[in-house]
Amino acid sequence: MSDSQRHDRVQTRAVHIRASVPEGSVPAAVPLYQTSLFTFEDLPTFADAWSKPDGAFTYSRFGNPTTKAFEDAVADLEGGSSAMATASGMGAVSTVLLSLLRTGDHVLAQRGLYGGVFTLLADLCERWGIEVTYLDAEDPAEVAAACRPTTRMLYLETIANPLGQVCDLPAFTSAAQRAGLITVVDNTFASPVLCHPLRHGADVVVHSTTKYIGGHSDVVGGIIVVKDQELASTLWRRGTELGACADPFAAWLSIRGLQTLPVRMRQHCANAEVVATRLTEHPKVARVYWPGLPDHPSHATARALLDGYGGVVAFDLHGGMEAARSFTSRIRLASLAPSLGGVGTTVLHPASISHSGMDPDALRAAGIDQGTVRVAVGLEHPEDLWSDLAQALD
Ligand SMILES: *Cc1c(COP(=O)(O)O)cnc(C)c1O
């Protein structure tokens, strides 16, 4: 607005507050563009921006500078060409499934998926006529064996929840490629610090950035990363139709988390090693699941594929549900809570919480027992954490 157009009435001046664009220096942190829309000097510029997905910013459901900084950073860490931040991890998963599947399609999915994804797939089966076959994900020959003419997608997790299964990604993605399937990998538990599924043949990577990427239990978010441009534009177009976008403030918090992800991830892994090793020596514990343990069924694959074994440790207590109730009510430092990847340790009982949508047969098939407890190891000193877990066990 030029001075000659200046309106002096207080209502008008209060509305038209202008940001000053810094000159001669650059902000050290990515600025938060908490704006839903962008304004234009003239119609041709506006129309041009509106018609191009990668043109000037117009409306924050389509794109926002803060959100884009986050997307570009995660795409770079994952080795992808572009990314789309979403309102949650489930927003990322549902956008991928609803954008790439249609009625009659068949999906191959790993058994023991994140509970929310398992129930979403069940819902899509029932209401959208999408069929799912669950794989053990132990032998890549399972892919060809389960394929039908309608099979369209293979859905995997880098480190599966809660038992830490790691499937042989390169072998599974090449089996999927031979069958003409799109491979989607949920890389939440590994984060782009421990694994890059796109480099191992995955087509789409999804994250719940609520977890390690955000890292501080203060933001819910998700992200989709791809390397193929055509796939990227399909997902962007449908994702904006579905309204999956992240809020700029959530993206801004996630950028701050991302900056310390590598250091945090190292410590999560180191602390998890202490907890997992001590648990194996404890008489109340029947079995420990952490892919870094030499006797974990996925240990060899994890060693070859990952730059660290992650921060999630699960274990079976002798005494089933009763023992799990008593353990979870005694912890003091660790919190009984859903979710993971924050600075503080969280403890969860999968059979009553995250996997309660599964019937007992499906639960057993996924290897989850009534006495299974999951510990998402945080960044406390490992000795303090172990003292707490040990007193709750004893
Ligand atoms: C938490 C989680 C999700 C869902 O993410 P939200 O951010 O809670 O929507 C999906 N996959 C995995 C592996 C998760 O841990």
Side-chain angles (χ1 to χ4, degrees):
M1 201 189 313
S2 72
D3 280 344
S4 62
Q5 292 172 291
R6 214 184 153 79
H7 301 287
D8 287 323
R9 292 177 184 88
V10 67
Q11 292 85 344
T12 309
R13 283 178 9 238
V15 168
H16 292 275
I17 296 169
R18 291 289 157 141
S20 62
V21 179
E23 269 176 47
S25 63
V26 174
V30 175
L32 169 56
Y33 285 89
Q34 188 71 21
T35 184
S36 59
L37 49 89
F38 298 81
T39 63
F40 294 87
E41 292 289 333
D42 58 71
L43 191 53
T45 318
F46 185 10
D48 184 59
W50 192 258
S51 66
K52 293 183 187 143
D54 52 358
F57 296 103
T58 56
Y59 184 54
S60 286
R61 176 157 54 81
F62 304 142
N64 171 284
T66 307
T67 310
K68 186 169 190 308
F70 175 53
E71 292 168 335
D72 290 348
V74 177
D76 177 51
L77 295 188
E78 280 288 2
S81 69
S82 69
M84 185 167 86
T86 54
S88 67
M90 286 307 296
V93 175
S94 61
T95 297
V96 169
L97 299 184
L98 293 173
S99 299
L100 303 180
L101 298 173
R102 62 181 72 217
T103 297
D105 281 348
H106 176 229
V107 177
L108 306 180
Q110 179 173 1
R111 229 184 277 288
L113 288 177
Y114 177 74
V117 176
F118 179 83
T119 46
L120 170 64
L121 282 169
D123 232 20
L124 290 178
C125 284
E126 196 184 305
R127 300 173 48 238
W128 298 73
I130 287 164
E131 304 201 61
V132 185
T133 301
Y134 285 95
L135 308 180
D136 293 330
E138 273 156 18
D139 178 356
E142 291 169 55
V143 173
C147 259
R148 306 174 190 170
T150 53
T151 311
R152 177 109 179 95
M153 180 183 284
L154 173 65
Y155 189 101
L156 305 168
E157 290 182 0
T158 321
I159 304 177
N161 179 35
L163 304 183
Q165 188 195 4
V166 179
C167 84
D168 184 350
L169 270 187
F172 273 82
T173 59
S174 33
Q177 251 158 30
R178 282 195 295 279
L181 315 184
I182 290 176
T183 306
V184 178
V185 178
D186 183 332
N187 199 31
T188 300
F189 275 44
S191 91
V193 174
L194 305 186
C195 188
H196 305 96
L198 295 174
R199 295 191 185 137
H200 298 296
D203 300 295
V204 181
V205 165
V206 291
H207 281 279
S208 166
T209 58
T210 312
K211 313 296 167 56
Y212 291 108
I213 290 180
H216 295 76
S217 312
D218 53 9
V219 61
V220 171
I223 199 160
I224 305 167
V225 192
V226 293
K227 51 185 175 188
D228 179 75
Q229 270 315 318
E230 205 179 309
L231 198 52
S233 64
T234 303
L235 286 167
W236 179 81
R237 188 160 40 83
R238 305 222 165 110
T240 56
E241 286 166 3
L242 291 166
C245 64
D247 182 76
F249 183 52
W252 186 80
L253 283 172
S254 307
I255 291 169
R256 196 164 69 158
L258 194 62
Q259 289 173 313
T260 55
L261 178 67
V263 252
R264 284 187 289 107
M265 217 55 211
R266 291 278 155 251
Q267 198 62 45
H268 281 296
C269 293
N271 288 2
E273 180 165 13
V274 173
V275 169
T277 311
R278 305 253 174 108
L279 282 169
T280 58
E281 293 155 3
H282 200 283
K284 299 267 172 72
V285 175
R287 194 163 168 194
V288 184
Y289 307 87
W290 184 64
L293 293 172
D295 66 348
H296 189 284
S298 299
H299 181 63
T301 315
R303 200 176 46 207
L305 201 67
L306 307 178
D307 282 331
Y309 301 103
V312 176
V313 179
F315 57 97
D316 293 342
L317 281 167
H318 290 299
M321 176 69 93
E322 267 315 299
R325 285 221 176 108
S326 131
F327 171 78
T328 50
S329 64
R330 287 197 171 109
I331 49 170
R332 293 289 169 262
L333 189 62
S335 314
L336 184 58
S339 200
L340 61 126
V343 293
T345 297
T346 55
V347 169
L348 178 108
H349 182 239
S352 359
I353 311 289
S354 57
H355 292 65
S356 59
M358 284 174 139
D359 61 45
D361 286 343
L363 209 58
R364 218 166 297 118
I368 298 165
D369 185 80
Q370 295 299 314
T372 305
V373 172
R374 183 187 85 181
V375 180
V377 179
L379 302 181
E380 298 91 344
H381 193 286
E383 294 301 339
D384 291 338
L385 182 56
W386 175 251
S387 307
D388 184 42
L389 299 178
Q391 66 77 28
L393 285 167
D394 296 336

